[in-house]
Amino acid sequence: MSQVHVHTKINGDTTEFLCEADEPLLDVLRDRLGLTGAKEGCGTGDCGACSVMVDDRLVCSCLVLGAEAEGRTIETIEGMADGEKLHPLQQKFLDHAALQCGICTPGFLVAAKALLDHNPDPTETEVRYWLAGNLCRCTGYDKIVRAVMDTAAEMRGA
Amino acid sequence: MLDKTAENGEFKVIGTRPERPDGVDKVTGRARFGADMVMPGMLIGKVLRSPHAHANIKSIDTSAAEALEGVKAVITAADFTADVPEAEYDTMVNCIAHGKALYDGHGVAAVAATSRSIANKALKLIKVEYEVLPHVTDVEEACKDDAPLLHDNIFTEGLEETPTTPSNISGRVQFGHGDVDEGFAAADKVVERKFRTEATHQGYIEPHACVGNLSPDGTGELWCCTQGHFMVRNSCAAILGLDISRLRVTASEIGGGFGGKTTIFIEPLALALSRKAGRPVKLVMSRDEVFRATGPTSSASMWIKIGAKNDGTITAMEGLLKYQGGAFKGSWVSLGCMTAFACYRADHMKTVGYDVLVNRPRAAAYRAPGAPMAAFAVESVVTELAGELGRDPLEFRLQNAAKEGDQSSYGPKHRAHGLMETLEQAKAHDHYNAPLGPNQGRGVACGFWFNFGGQTSTSLNIGADGTVNVSVGTVDVGGSRASMCLMVAEELGVPYEKVRCVVADTSSLGHNDITDGSRTTFSSGMALILSARDAKQKLCARAAKIWEIPEDAVEWVDGHARPAGPNAGEFDPMSLAEVAGKAETTGGPIAGHHECNARGAGVSFATHMVDTEVDPETGRVTVLRYTVFQDAGKAIHPAYVEGQFQGGAVQGIGWAINEEYIYGEDGRLQNAGFLDYRIPVASDLPMIDTVIIETPNKGHPYGVRGVGETSIVPPMAAIANSVSAAAGVRLTELPMSPPRVLKAMDDAKA
Ligand code: FES
Ligand code: FES
């Protein structure tokens, strides 16, 4: 099968890749570009472990084709920290012990950042519904929700 | 053995909540999990799985697949020898069917190719001729005389007379003491009921994944996500006929296990493909494969009978438990029987269990395996009996709770534990007295788990700058590296930040048993504390050498060597860094080690309390408030202890309300994905409150008990008690999904 040539910007870097026409963006990121921070928990859009931003939209990268990334901007977990400085969400996840095994964590962080970017003052219910597409089997979500609420408060300067 | 306690204020860092050492890697995407590994020249493997629940495999033609360009190896059962030790035989046959497919999803063949798409194409080219056989997936159906038989060489074990005809009941077990008939005769009130639970999956978010690389000389390496890389090494070596010393297994970061990663599924296939292809092979399961071919827990059919006097004293407890373990022996029904009545004292107890074979995937351990279903049944009857006697359910439990010195349901006498305290704290908690609204109910339930010790080997190396590396052979599923570093920092008297922990590969440490039985913080922690003591002795000896005084004239206090005793002389204390800095001239590197088969694991009890609301129109159950009271012995890192309590409770909530394996008439699993097998999501839940109780375990230097498993034992019962109160009718089947709850309410009205 002939491959598709795709031009994107990923975490600020101009990136080109070849992929098969039916290849999910998640596979491109993980297998072709070595960006293994996004995880595959299901491959069917049900777990959110593969969450990334495509042009400011939160998506499951397992449901987007690599070819669809043509001309778009992609942000992954690898681009969340500012050099050595963790994003406040990353730091709060550590402070609150909001991860146990950590496989779901990249997806939660990307999704939570998308929430706070458009709603800096979410209620607990809003956090819970926004994150309902991200599965975590270890924590029972309690500490994740607390970490997100606490980050929001800190970023608002509250 | 208890050397330090919280009461005497000796702990300096134990009980604090520092950032975990692997934390930054895990929030930045750098941590490498099973599927994140790449090796040079690596091929992609795929497994062909049976679409039938039960079928003879007449023939497998792999020639077309092998002829496809890019395909480098195809394997079937023919690539494995039958000459495998008995203990590993079922494991091998579960990885790849030998002559007969025993369940929908059973592996039949595997390929390795230069790309995923070629591997997928190759699977379609493998021609398998099946002779479909009648199947059985229900535990009660499988027990019937005319049920389709899974294995013609399994005869029920544990009967007085060995039967002459094969059976799907692979074994019968019995536990107890006293005479239950006598006990029931002395009772004023007796409640008995039947219960059913459906199979659930551990539901770890990371599918099984590995990369195997086996050279023609029988030397190999394997990277995989597992709860026990030493177990993986030993099992794979046995199945492939290798010396265990030639196979080096490295555990990746692990994306959840909950017991489901305590055995192997794809690892020997990756190694066999690699051996055939002469290149590394990566095998990663899809979610569909995870559901169809790995670890569900047993579904169960149970009967429980409990009697008590009018004054509330329980006189007798009896149970019959039937658990299916899938297509192979080993359903953990024994543990169900042993734990069922463990929270209580009664002169007369009896549990009988049947281990039943059905055409489903081989059951794998799931967090306190066997215990949660039994607790669901027993704790439902306990609450009902309390109600019949007009007693408060917590009071009734307090009156009958097992205490130190009582005969336990599973054999030994109880040692000191925290059950009473969990009940007392539950009773005193404001949750217990908070008002309830219409259609709401409150439930409580208790739970017990043994906790294990087991074979453990650890190592501790002190660097020239006085920082410390520790190596453990137990994987970090939920922050255990932080607990390890805390215990070593405490023991050596150095700051937590100066200690770093790695999970070492199988060639670097002695054998370590799998991470099961909530054993990691207990066993590896104990071995590390003793490794640190070993190192301290050596540090003192080095200081003695520097000061030119006898070794026994040096003691280790607060991270420093100090002269002590009458013949020591006057010297300034030397810090760990100072002694370590001189190691080269005082005898070389300084290290500590410990190997043991850890004994003295402390049992753990919990009481859970939950409020639910039942929608009278739809039968939908909403969890409104949840509080966990559990004995941790000693919480090394309380945040991760709370995390274990919360995670277990929420898995239990899923099991109670949503989760179930659904099989069709054709014996195929109908909901092999997270859309249709729905685990709890954030919007389903309230915060999960926790109360940590610390009744030290005298079998551990710091009093640690395992905490990971007990938390999933009480939830289903607590929720059933709560929903039954809210709905006004006793719920006896899991999951309590809307149609079931609605039907129970309608039946009660009719
Ligand atoms: S892997 Fe994309 S949603 Fe699960
Ligand atoms: S921390 Fe393990 S799945 Fe979320």
Side-chain angles (χ1 to χ4, degrees):
Chain A
M1 202 193 307
S2 75
Q3 299 202 320
V4 189
H5 185 180
V6 181
H7 309 75
T8 60
K9 191 166 256 200
I10 303 183
N11 299 328
D13 296 332
T14 301
T15 309
E16 293 178 42
F17 57 82
L18 293 173
C19 68
E20 290 176 29
D22 60 353
E23 192 171 330
L25 175 61
L26 176 62
D27 293 1
V28 171
L29 293 172
R30 291 180 50 83
D31 300 340
R32 295 187 187 268
L33 304 176
L35 293 168
T36 54
K39 306 298 179 191
E40 178 167 327
C42 67
T44 51
D46 300 316
C47 77
C50 61
S51 298
V52 302
M53 300 299 292
V54 176
D55 281 353
D56 296 330
R57 241 186 96 199
L58 176 64
V59 299
C60 293
S61 61
C62 68
L63 295 184
V64 175
L65 293 175
E68 289 180 279
E70 173 63 33
R72 298 185 186 274
T73 301
I74 296 167
E75 292 288 334
T76 72
I77 185 66
E78 285 90 347
M80 188 179 279
D82 180 9
E84 285 184 9
K85 199 170 161 13
L86 295 180
H87 184 278
L89 271 166
Q90 294 172 309
Q91 188 56 51
K92 289 290 180 198
F93 266 56
L94 295 178
D95 296 346
H96 284 266
L99 52 142
Q100 286 178 27
C101 79
I103 192 85
C104 67
T105 310
F108 269 98
L109 286 167
V110 170
K113 180 167 180 292
L115 168 65
L116 299 189
D117 284 348
H118 92 248
N119 179 1
D121 191 9
T123 63
E124 181 189 330
T125 304
E126 284 170 335
V127 171
R128 287 186 178 277
Y129 276 85
W130 182 273
L131 296 177
N134 290 77
L135 300 181
C136 173
R137 192 58 158 171
C138 299
T139 64
Y141 306 100
D142 181 299
K143 292 181 190 303
I144 292 175
V145 174
R146 286 178 202 277
V148 174
M149 303 284 292
D150 191 17
T151 310
E154 188 185 271
M155 289 177 75
R156 289 194 311 271
Chain B
M1 190 189 240
L2 208 60
D3 301 327
K4 294 196 175 202
T5 61
E7 287 76 43
N8 65 24
E10 278 185 42
F11 285 125
K12 294 209 165 61
V13 292
I14 299 294
T16 61
R17 302 173 177 234
E19 198 172 297
R20 61 197 281 173
D22 53 333
V24 171
D25 280 358
K26 285 186 175 154
V27 297
T28 54
R30 293 156 51 98
R32 286 180 307 162
F33 290 83
D36 298 339
M37 173 56 93
V38 183
M39 286 189 199
M42 190 176 83
L43 301 170
I44 301 298
K46 284 275 164 198
V47 180
L48 182 70
R49 298 188 177 276
S50 168
H52 304 295
H54 199 189
N56 284 323
I57 298 169
K58 309 280 279 183
S59 66
I60 306 178
D61 179 359
T62 60
S63 55
E66 277 158 11
L68 183 69
E69 191 182 339
V71 173
K72 300 295 177 186
V74 183
I75 57 166
T76 65
D79 291 86
F80 294 83
T81 117
D83 185 23
V84 164
E86 208 189 315
E88 303 290 352
Y89 189 78
D90 282 358
T91 301
M92 174 180 75
V93 174
N94 189 41
C95 291
I96 191 148
H98 278 53
K100 200 174 171 190
L102 293 164
Y103 54 91
D104 164 36
H106 198 169
V108 169
V111 303
T114 48
S115 76
R116 194 185 321 210
S117 53
I118 295 173
N120 280 329
K121 241 176 255 162
L123 287 190
K124 297 203 182 94
L125 295 175
I126 298 174
K127 292 187 199 74
V128 186
E129 196 190 335
Y130 292 103
E131 177 199 0
V132 177
L133 301 169
H135 65 270
V136 60
T137 55
D138 180 80
V139 60
E140 289 287 359
E141 292 295 320
C143 293
K144 292 183 177 159
D145 287 341
D146 58 352
L149 195 64
L150 270 84
H151 301 276
D152 56 17
N153 60 350
I154 288 185
F155 300 85
T156 313
E157 287 170 18
L159 300 180
E160 269 169 30
E161 269 176 48
T162 311
T164 51
T165 46
S167 168
N168 289 331
I169 302 175
S170 68
R172 177 191 185 276
V173 290
Q174 182 174 331
F175 297 89
H177 54 260
D179 175 350
V180 284
D181 291 337
E182 191 184 309
F184 286 118
D188 296 314
K189 275 264 186 307
V190 175
V191 172
E192 62 180 299
R193 278 206 183 265
K194 287 184 176 159
F195 299 87
R196 284 188 65 108
T197 66
E198 288 301 338
T200 56
H201 195 277
Q202 295 83 349
Y204 31 80
I205 305 301
E206 180 198 33
H208 299 262
C210 68
V211 184
N213 189 15
L214 188 55
S215 94
D217 72 353
T219 308
E221 59 182 326
L222 179 71
W223 160 274
C224 63
C225 58
T226 175
Q227 286 176 253
H229 41 309
F230 292 86
M231 168 279 297
V232 172
R233 175 190 66 175
N234 294 0
S235 291
C236 288
I239 290 169
L240 295 159
L242 311 172
D243 289 348
I244 60 172
S245 61
R246 290 203 177 204
L247 183 60
R248 181 164 64 94
V249 181
T250 306
S252 70
E253 296 303 323
I254 173 174
F258 316 108
K261 291 177 182 167
T262 56
T263 183
I264 52 173
F265 298 100
I266 49 174
E267 294 80 359
L269 306 183
L271 287 166
L273 284 167
S274 170
R275 177 157 64 184
K276 210 163 180 176
R279 288 165 66 169
V281 174
K282 180 177 197 167
L283 260 181
V284 180
M285 275 192 178
S286 66
R287 179 56 55 182
D288 174 86
E289 289 180 281
V290 172
F291 275 113
R292 287 167 66 212
T294 74
T297 183
S298 303
S299 52
S301 170
M302 299 168 288
W303 166 82
I304 298 292
K305 180 177 176 184
I306 304 178
K309 287 191 196 295
N310 281 332
D311 70 2
T313 314
I314 292 179
T315 58
M317 311 182 91
E318 186 177 5
L320 173 64
L321 313 182
K322 295 176 193 167
Y323 287 13
Q324 59 81 7
F328 298 90
K329 288 186 203 177
S331 68
W332 283 276
V333 74
S334 314
L335 298 182
C337 289
M338 291 164 89
T339 56
F341 301 127
C343 295
Y344 300 96
R345 71 160 301 284
D347 292 336
H348 308 285
M349 288 186 178
K350 178 180 173 187
T351 45
V352 170
Y354 289 103
D355 189 2
V356 184
L357 300 156
V358 299
N359 294 109
R360 294 188 185 214
R362 184 191 195 187
Y366 181 15
R367 213 167 190 161
M373 320 69 146
F376 159 61
V378 170
E379 292 292 307
S380 294
V381 173
V382 168
T383 284
E384 191 172 353
L385 184 56
E388 299 240 328
L389 291 165
R391 298 288 301 277
D392 172 272
L394 282 178
E395 291 269 353
F396 183 60
R397 285 174 171 84
L398 275 162
Q399 180 179 349
N400 290 289
K403 297 186 199 62
E404 188 171 3
D406 285 340
Q407 168 67 46
S408 76
S409 60
Y410 55 92
K413 295 246 191 301
H414 280 286
R415 294 186 295 163
H417 61 66
L419 173 59
M420 290 293 282
E421 175 121 25
T422 67
L423 285 162
E424 274 157 9
Q425 293 233 14
K427 209 171 140 227
H429 199 276
D430 66 350
H431 182 172
Y432 200 50
N433 298 307
L436 289 167
N439 302 314
Q440 297 180 356
R442 176 166 299 139
V444 295
C446 298
F448 159 89
W449 186 244
F450 305 96
N451 299 322
F452 301 157
Q455 297 191 77
T456 310
S457 164
T458 59
S459 215
L460 178 156
N461 292 296
I462 295 172
D465 60 355
T467 59
V468 182
N469 274 126
V470 298
S471 302
V472 295
T474 45
V475 299
D476 183 352
V477 203
S480 64
R481 285 185 186 91
S483 303
M484 300 300 147
C485 294
L486 279 167
M487 285 185 270
V488 169
E490 181 76 41
E491 194 63 34
L492 291 178
V494 298
Y496 167 80
E497 293 71 28
K498 298 289 180 198
V499 186
R500 277 294 178 266
C501 177
V502 297
V503 178
D505 67 50
T506 55
S507 298
S508 308
L509 278 179
H511 177 87
N512 280 269
D513 286 340
I514 50 173
T515 292
D516 68 346
S518 304
R519 75 178 211 90
T520 295
T521 306
F522 170 75
S523 307
S524 280
M526 177 149 83
L528 275 180
I529 290 167
L530 297 172
S531 298
R533 289 182 189 169
D534 184 26
K536 280 198 292 191
Q537 245 178 24
K538 293 172 186 165
L539 287 161
C540 288
R542 298 297 177 90
K545 205 167 182 179
I546 295 165
W547 290 328
E548 298 178 345
I549 61 174
E551 282 181 22
D552 60 3
V554 181
E555 61 176 5
W556 193 264
V557 185
D558 283 344
H560 290 75
R562 291 175 196 274
N567 50 358
E570 289 285 320
F571 299 98
D572 287 340
M574 286 178 81
S575 69
L576 181 71
E578 286 169 312
V579 182
K582 294 195 164 66
E584 189 176 359
T585 54
T586 55
I590 305 170
H593 310 278
H594 193 75
E595 283 78 39
C596 61
N597 190 350
R599 304 273 177 225
V603 302
S604 165
F605 288 89
T607 298
H608 287 201
M609 189 180 298
V610 57
D611 298 350
T612 60
E613 181 168 321
V614 176
D615 182 337
E617 307 271 307
T618 63
R620 181 173 197 267
V621 174
T622 307
V623 177
L624 303 170
R625 184 170 182 184
Y626 204 107
T627 312
V628 176
F629 307 83
Q630 188 179 321
D631 181 11
K634 177 68 203 164
I636 301 297
H637 191 305
Y640 290 107
V641 171
E642 292 163 2
Q644 290 296 322
F645 291 5
Q646 292 164 333
V650 168
Q651 282 187 318
I653 290 171
W655 199 337
I657 300 177
N658 290 328
E659 297 177 32
E660 63 179 313
Y661 263 47
I662 300 170
Y663 278 90
E665 289 289 308
D666 57 3
R668 292 181 191 168
L669 182 60
Q670 298 194 324
N671 58 337
F674 277 138
L675 190 61
D676 298 317
Y677 181 98
R678 192 176 179 286
I679 71 172
V681 302
S683 54
D684 295 338
L685 298 162
M687 292 296 184
I688 308 293
D689 296 327
T690 57
V691 177
I692 301 176
I693 285 142
E694 296 187 320
T695 308
N697 165 27
K698 297 201 173 76
H700 184 278
Y702 294 173
V704 168
R705 296 172 192 272
V707 296
E709 291 172 290
T710 308
S711 52
I712 202 174
V713 182
M716 290 122 75
I719 294 164
N721 287 334
S722 166
V723 172
S724 298
V729 56
R730 173 64 42 193
L731 275 297
T732 58
E733 283 184 33
L734 298 186
M736 290 173 279
S737 52
R740 273 213 185 98
V741 175
L742 207 53
K743 180 168 184 307
M745 289 196 291
D746 287 348
D747 289 354
K749 271 186 225 135

